[in-house]
Every structure is written in C-alpha cells, then in structure tokens.
C-alpha cells in the first residue's frame, strides 16, 4: 500500500484514539501535489481534499471531478473576489470567508449558477496584519450579515494560528466563539497540531505534509 495511504490511516487512528464526540473530517491538503500523486488516496476511498489556489485547483481537479462527483473540494486559501466565480464552480466548501465584499459576490454567484456551497468564516484571533480573517470584534456582525442577509450556509469558524506560537490557546478561543454562535463545525488543526485541535472540538482538520510529505 502507498505511503500516502499509510500516513492517512495513521492520522485517522491517532484521531480515533482521542475518542472525539463528533465526527472529525480529514481534509487532505493536496496543494502543490499532482493528481497522479494524490490518486492512491482517492482510490483508497477518501473524498475530502483541500487546495489553496483557485487556478491550481482548477487545472488539477476540474475535469476529474466531473467524472468523480463524490469528491468534496475545500478552498482553504485566501480567496480574491475576482476568483469567486471560478471558486463557486469548482469547490464544495470555502474555509476562508472573511469580508463583506467577498460575501456579496459569493452570494450573488451562488444564485446565478444555482450551486450552493458550505462556508467557514476565517477568524484572525491574533490580529495579525499580514494574515486574512475577520477580527473578533467584527465577528458577530459579519456572521449575521453572511447568514441573514446573504443566505450563506456557515458551518463554523476557521483559524490558521500564528506560526511559532502556542496553537492551543487559539483553539480554545475559537471553540468558545463557535459555541457562542451555536455553530456545529469547526475548521482548525494542521499537520503539526491536529490532535490538539481535536481536543478542542475541531471537526475539520486540514492536513497536508503529514499525508503527502514535505512540499518543495
Ligand atoms: C497548507 C495549509 C494547510 C496544511 O498544512 P500542513 O502543515 O502541510 O498540514 C492547512 N491549512 C491551510 C490554510 C493551509 O494553507
């Protein structure tokens, strides 16, 4: 069996050993890897994959996905408004919803092409200027805007914690914010910290290098 599948199974069993109360979905982050490299995991039966660039994802997945409609594609990277239409056409989930202009465009495009996605609102908990995400003090207003005025189906919150910092405190904070909004899903945890994230009730972990190996 391929190394990729072995790595995936190990991650799955590590998660199961924590006995999470909710189902934890593994989003296999396949950015920079070719479809040929990814295929062993698809053939194994895994259906959730993540990409961070619309253009790369389109050339990699568009044709393949037409013939394999059980696949779920997750957009996990910064989404520019001018790529929103392509993103709606290709993806099933967007984890990086973080501003009103983007919400407006996504909402309109969904209606125009009659395809409705699932969303996570990305939160910038550490107020890092270089990072995307809505700030905590704007979160309630933005959540209401997206769900009530724009009819976007928001499943939960998403975070990319600051590098070289203690992820745990951000996971705890995000779990609390998610509960305050009565949201059911939570997108947090990557290769280095997914078990910690699951301890704080993450239900979508986004894992790349632990599955596919180091990116070059
Ligand atoms: C690349 C990426 C991941 C996966 O990172 P790994 O450390 O390789 O697991 C998760 N989330 C986002 C937003 C990413 O861009």
């Amino acid at each position: 069996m391929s190394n990729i599948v072995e790595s995936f199974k190990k991650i799955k069993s590590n998660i199961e050993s924590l006995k999470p109360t909710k189902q934890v979905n593994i989003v296999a982050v396949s950015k920079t890897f070719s479809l040929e490299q990814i295929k062993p995991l698809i053939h194994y039966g895994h259906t959730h994959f993540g990409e961070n660039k619309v253009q790369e994802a389109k050339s990699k997945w568009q044709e393949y996905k037409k013939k394999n409609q059980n696949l779920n594609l997750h957009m996990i990277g910064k989404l520019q408004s001018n790529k929103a239409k392509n993103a709606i056409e290709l993806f099933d989930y967007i984890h990086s919803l973080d501003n009103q202009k983007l919400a407006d465009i996504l909402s309109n495009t969904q209606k125009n092409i009659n395809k409705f996605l699932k969303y996570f609102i990305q939160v910038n908990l550490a107020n890092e200027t270089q990072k995307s995400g809505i700030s905590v003090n704007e979160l309630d207003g933005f959540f209401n805007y997206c769900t009530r005025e724009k009819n976007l189906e928001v499943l939960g919150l998403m975070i990319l914690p600051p590098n070289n910092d203690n992820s745990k405190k951000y996971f705890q904070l995000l779990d609390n914010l998610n509960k305050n909004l009565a949201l059911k899903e939570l997108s947090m945890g990557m290769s280095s910290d997914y078990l910690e994230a699951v301890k704080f009730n993450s239900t979508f972990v986004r894992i790349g290098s632990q599955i596919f190996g180091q990116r070059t």
Side-chain angles (χ1 to χ4, degrees):
M1 195 173 281
S2 96
N3 288 338
I4 289 171
V5 173
E6 286 303 328
S7 305
F8 175 82
K9 286 167 71 177
K10 182 85 178 77
I11 290 164
K12 209 167 148 64
S13 84
N14 288 343
I15 292 172
E16 277 161 13
S17 69
L18 293 177
K19 305 207 182 322
T21 48
K22 285 187 183 172
Q23 187 189 324
V24 178
N25 303 281
I26 300 172
V27 178
V29 177
S30 49
K31 61 189 184 193
T32 77
F33 293 94
S34 70
L35 194 54
E36 285 313 306
Q37 290 170 299
I38 303 163
K39 269 181 184 168
L41 192 54
I42 302 173
H43 294 155
Y44 175 68
H46 190 58
T47 56
H48 288 268
F49 292 87
E51 294 282 344
N52 70 336
K53 294 199 174 88
V54 175
Q55 202 51 51
E56 178 190 345
K58 198 176 165 184
S59 54
K60 195 187 296 185
W61 290 101
Q62 185 168 256
E63 288 308 311
Y64 191 78
K65 201 166 178 279
K66 282 181 193 155
K67 293 175 239 125
N68 298 271
Q69 301 209 352
N70 61 331
L71 288 175
N72 289 282
L73 275 193
H74 297 250
M75 174 57 182
I76 61 169
K78 174 80 186 162
L79 181 55
Q80 307 294 344
S81 310
N82 61 356
K83 303 268 172 62
K85 183 163 182 285
N86 281 335
I88 298 270
E89 286 165 351
L90 183 67
F91 289 97
D92 303 289
Y93 295 74
I94 290 175
H95 292 237
S96 46
L97 176 59
D98 71 349
N99 68 79
Q100 284 207 3
K101 184 181 170 204
L102 183 61
D104 293 346
I105 295 172
L106 291 168
S107 175
N108 287 338
T109 312
Q110 291 202 140
K111 278 180 236 147
N112 288 342
I113 69 171
N114 197 31
K115 180 173 178 233
F116 297 88
L117 276 62
K118 297 180 168 74
Y119 295 91
F120 289 90
I121 292 176
Q122 183 171 355
V123 185
N124 184 348
L125 276 180
N127 283 317
E128 297 172 283
T129 48
Q130 80 282 13
K131 211 170 260 182
S132 39
I134 194 108
S135 65
V136 174
N137 53 11
E138 293 172 301
L139 177 60
D140 280 2
F142 184 62
F143 173 74
N144 288 332
Y145 184 76
C146 291
T147 53
R148 294 186 195 159
E149 293 185 44
K150 294 291 149 182
N151 288 312
L152 296 175
E153 185 182 356
V154 175
L155 300 183
L157 303 180
M158 178 275 210
I159 188 169
L160 196 57
N163 299 330
N164 311 316
D165 203 335
N166 179 6
S167 304
K168 184 175 162 176
K169 82 174 184 214
Y170 296 103
F171 293 160
Q172 188 158 29
L173 280 166
L174 201 69
D175 183 32
N176 283 332
L177 291 170
N178 217 54
K179 284 181 177 132
N180 290 342
L181 294 171
L183 289 164
K184 294 198 165 57
E185 310 293 340
L186 192 49
S187 170
M188 57 188 198
M190 313 183 6
S191 289
S192 58
D193 55 14
Y194 70 93
L195 290 174
E196 201 62 44
V198 170
K199 287 180 198 161
F200 289 99
N201 304 310
S202 178
T203 60
F204 283 79
V205 292
R206 311 176 308 264
I207 302 182
S209 50
Q210 281 284 334
I211 297 175
F212 297 105
Q214 287 303 318
R215 289 179 292 273
T216 46

